[in-house]
């Protein structure tokens, strides 16, 4: 489900869950636990990536349908916990988007401190509304934080999924590299961020993300309505 390796001071967290790294209850819980472990470890930084040509296809909608309302009310809080854990990680996090990053996959990438995407063949975007489900508070706040304001509504309302080059133009990723160089480049960026004095990095990251985290915590009423809509 998750493969953890080390490249020097950098912990590489690779999702290997089925063919598409679809987000289900088990993967969300495993990722949250692994991120917590990495935050407490001696690793200087993290790289989050997927397997093959898939970063993550987002929420496992078939599991949602089969599990019904009871599963939804367990799964959505677990999804929120995982995403907030990733967004709030005190270590530098680099997303190495090796392929498609759709919906929740896009949100995971957006939660990182630096986002790199392989040039071909993946697409990235947030098409949740096209399948008729509203955004929970935590994912939408992460996108509000990470996506340029002038593009966010268009991305959300139209459900655009972008090639790597278009994602770079729209500010969804910070760099586009050839697929065979992606992990090496991501590790190099992670090492450069890990070289920043830890206290200075943590204080700066905490301050920049504090308003978003406050809005996340204030969204309980909205999330209750979101759960009802998903259920």
């Amino acid at each position: 489900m998750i493969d953890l390796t080390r490249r020097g001071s950098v912990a590489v967290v690779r999702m290997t869950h089925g063919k598409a790294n679809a987000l289900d209850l088990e993967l969300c819980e495993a990722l949250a636990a692994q991120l917590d472990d990495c935050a407490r470890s001696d690793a200087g930084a993290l790289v989050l990536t997927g397997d093959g040509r898939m970063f993550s296809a987002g929420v496992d909608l078939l599991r949602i349908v089969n599990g019904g309302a009871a599963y939804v009310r367990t799964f959505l809080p677990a999804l929120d916990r995982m995403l907030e854990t990733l967004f709030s990680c005190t270590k530098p996090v680099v997303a190495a988007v090796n392929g498609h990053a759709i919906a929740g996959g896009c949100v995971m990438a957006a939660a990182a401190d630096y986002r790199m995407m392989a040039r071909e063949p993946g697409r990235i975007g947030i098409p949740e509304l096209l399948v008729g489900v509203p955004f929970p508070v935590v994912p939408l706040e992460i996108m509000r934080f990470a996506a340029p304001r002038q593009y966010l509504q268009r991305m959300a309302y139209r459900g655009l999924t972008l090639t790597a080059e278009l994602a770079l133009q729209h500010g969804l990723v910070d760099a586009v590299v050839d697929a065979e160089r992606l992990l090496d480049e991501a590790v190099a960026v992670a090492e450069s961020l890990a070289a920043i004095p830890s206290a200075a990095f943590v204080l700066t990251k905490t301050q920049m993300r504090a308003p978003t985290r406050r809005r996340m915590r204030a969204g309980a009423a909205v999330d209750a309505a979101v759960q009802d809509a998903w259920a």
Side-chain angles (χ1 to χ4, degrees):
M1 187 175 293
I2 299 172
D3 180 30
L4 178 67
T5 56
R6 285 289 288 264
R7 296 275 297 266
S9 65
V10 177
V12 178
V13 179
R14 186 185 300 275
M15 297 175 285
T16 58
H17 186 45
K19 294 181 178 179
N21 290 323
L23 297 172
D24 57 16
L25 178 62
E26 293 77 16
L27 181 56
C28 287
E29 290 179 340
L31 276 170
Q34 186 66 78
L35 291 166
D36 277 337
D37 287 347
C38 287
R40 292 191 296 265
S41 75
D42 63 351
L46 282 64
V47 169
L48 178 65
T49 192
D51 197 37
R53 294 186 174 185
M54 187 65 70
F55 183 75
S56 173
V59 171
D60 186 341
L61 294 177
L62 183 60
R63 183 80 178 273
I64 293 284
V65 171
N66 291 339
Y71 176 78
V72 165
R73 297 189 191 284
T74 303
F75 168 73
L76 285 181
L79 174 67
D80 283 349
R81 282 193 297 272
M82 180 273 287
L83 291 171
E84 190 167 4
T85 300
L86 177 59
F87 184 77
S88 305
C89 182
T90 54
K91 301 285 178 73
V93 179
V94 176
V97 183
N98 55 294
H100 298 298
I102 305 300
C106 176
V107 177
M108 282 196 292
D113 300 296
Y114 195 85
R115 302 178 292 278
M116 309 180 76
M117 188 169 179
R119 199 174 305 279
E120 296 290 348
R123 301 183 74 88
I124 185 169
I126 45 172
E128 278 84 345
L129 294 186
L130 298 187
V131 296
V133 293
F135 288 87
V137 171
V138 170
L140 189 56
E141 288 300 335
I142 290 172
M143 293 306 302
R144 193 200 305 271
F145 173 85
R149 182 177 180 181
Q150 68 268 32
Y151 298 131
L152 180 57
Q153 281 195 149
R154 188 187 315 167
M155 291 177 189
Y157 293 161
R158 296 189 59 203
L160 301 176
T161 58
L162 307 173
T163 64
E165 296 293 348
L166 283 175
L168 182 63
Q169 293 174 26
H170 283 71
L172 265 186
V173 299
D174 299 297
V176 174
V177 301
D178 293 336
E180 62 271 18
R181 294 175 43 235
L182 177 65
L183 186 57
D184 288 342
E185 295 279 351
V187 168
V189 171
E191 288 174 337
S192 72
L193 294 177
I196 299 170
S198 177
F201 180 86
V202 170
L203 285 169
T204 302
K205 180 173 181 175
T206 300
Q207 290 179 79
M208 287 197 296
R209 298 187 175 216
T212 298
R213 295 190 66 193
R214 285 195 293 270
R215 289 195 297 270
M216 289 175 179
R217 290 192 290 271
V222 174
D223 262 343
V226 168
Q227 285 191 28
D228 288 344
W230 280 63

